Amino acid sequence: MLPASRPTKLLAADASGIAEAAALLRAGGLVAMPTETVYGLAADATSGTAVAGIYAAKERPSFNPLISHLHDLASARRQGLFDANALALAQAFWPGPLTLVVPASPGCTVSDLARAGLPSVALRVPAHPVAHAVLEAAERPIAAPSANRSGRISATSAAHVLADLDGRIDAILDAGPTEVGVESTIVACLDDAPRLLRPGGVPREAIEHVIGRPLVIAGDAGHAPISPGMLASHYAPAARVRLDADAPEDGEAWLGFGPEAHQHPTSLNLSPTGDLREAAAHLFGYMRRLDEMGLKTIAVARIPEHGLGDAINDRLRRAAAPR
């Protein structure tokens, strides 16, 4: 099932267009905006429902972590915990095509869905003046993966975005072709050994010059990838996960979907109305809440295998896999 068709408005990259784009984002809409790397499909990162709209529009097959964009370092530091390496890199390359994966701060407002249920958060301060103006006006973190359908070539112009996403998003902020044309470099600063997760717009050598040591390349030390552009690690609950259940058994927590008659003391329903976008928004938070109940098994109702249901089931299967 494809996202409901809507008129996609082309906005000029002037004060009026920027203000309208920011208003749409604050209201939970989807706006393609330019960055110096590629056009990003922007949504309010603090809203799971808005983020779910990104996945629906892109037909993205799984819920990988998304990069949240901020307008300055101070805003980014409210979302993530920066060690000395992360701070040095941010001060050297922000604004610019560098994404830093850092531990989420206690006050992080980026949604579980944007973080794919992980305790880390991917942050970037883009250099494009239009993106910067939108972020400042929106006054919140903005998730913005590349503005194209999943598996297609990243968009470096408004025309590219329109060809892929016309009728799927609210607006495109047209500021002409992007400058860098490749995605941002992603570096994880989660311990004393910064790791290169994805090469991109900032050369590896420049990063190593700043931190004064070679970067660990993702996979060298057996770490699971944790960023966009890679196979994402996933939230694995302590409880066993039983999929496609008709009803909970004794001693199980229950994760439901759609109208149901079960009155279970340890249950949550992803969407009583069967709305897959609502279900996607609730997925990680509800799994965590059920896991915290301390039961050995979480039974999960059947989720339709279409639209966002494909991505929801992808995550549930990963959570249920032997470990």
Side-chain angles (χ1 to χ4, degrees):
M1 182 173 63
L2 297 179
S5 181
R6 67 185 89 175
T8 297
K9 189 172 183 180
L10 200 61
L11 302 176
D14 55 17
S16 176
I18 288 167
E20 185 170 351
L24 283 167
L25 292 170
R26 290 194 300 270
L30 299 177
V31 179
M33 71 174 187
T35 75
E36 73 277 25
T37 57
V38 297
Y39 272 73
L41 180 52
D44 180 358
T46 70
S47 166
T49 301
V51 171
I54 291 176
Y55 288 102
K58 285 176 64 71
E59 298 180 40
R60 195 161 177 154
S62 63
F63 295 137
N64 294 339
L66 300 180
I67 297 169
S68 291
H69 297 69
L70 291 304
H71 79 273
D72 61 16
L73 175 56
S75 300
R77 294 188 74 178
R78 288 192 284 271
Q79 302 297 327
L81 301 176
F82 285 63
D83 63 13
N85 288 315
L87 187 58
L89 290 172
Q91 290 172 335
F93 299 112
W94 281 358
L98 175 70
T99 294
L100 295 173
V101 178
V102 297
S105 70
C108 180
T109 60
V110 175
S111 67
D112 274 332
L113 188 58
R115 293 190 288 120
L118 297 171
S120 55
V121 62
L123 304 172
R124 183 163 96 86
V125 177
H128 198 291
V130 173
H132 184 274
V134 171
L135 293 167
E136 192 167 20
E139 298 181 321
R140 65 200 63 198
I142 297 296
S146 57
N148 56 281
R149 289 197 221 176
S150 185
R152 299 196 183 182
I153 298 171
S154 295
T156 56
S157 72
H160 295 162
V161 179
L162 197 65
D164 251 14
L165 299 175
D166 188 19
R168 293 168 172 258
I169 65 177
D170 296 293
I172 302 170
L173 193 56
D174 185 0
T178 60
E179 180 181 346
V180 177
V182 296
E183 286 84 355
S184 61
T185 304
I186 303 178
V187 175
C189 294
L190 299 171
D191 50 35
D192 292 334
R195 286 180 285 135
L196 179 66
L197 302 183
R198 181 180 76 184
V202 176
R204 172 182 173 183
E205 294 80 5
I207 294 168
E208 291 176 339
H209 178 75
V210 169
I211 62 175
R213 61 190 297 179
L215 283 167
V216 175
I217 307 302
D220 283 2
H223 296 284
I226 51 168
S227 81
M230 311 177 73
L231 175 63
S233 61
H234 55 281
Y235 174 64
R240 184 175 74 90
V241 176
R242 183 169 70 88
L243 301 179
D244 298 329
D246 294 318
E249 298 177 355
D250 289 344
E252 291 184 330
W254 174 247
L255 186 64
F257 175 80
E260 54 186 32
H262 302 303
Q263 298 295 323
H264 197 266
T266 53
S267 69
L268 293 170
N269 193 313
L270 290 169
S271 174
T273 63
D275 184 329
L276 288 170
R277 183 166 171 176
E278 180 183 26
H282 289 156
L283 177 62
F284 292 108
Y286 281 13
M287 287 285 286
R288 184 176 289 107
R289 284 168 59 182
L290 291 175
D291 200 30
E292 289 170 351
M293 294 177 183
L295 299 176
K296 291 184 178 180
T297 302
I298 300 171
V300 183
R302 287 182 177 85
I303 308 296
E305 290 276 1
H306 61 74
L308 283 178
D310 290 338
I312 293 169
N313 283 310
D314 172 82
R315 279 292 164 180
L316 288 171
R317 283 189 285 267
R318 292 173 186 271
R323 54 186 183 272

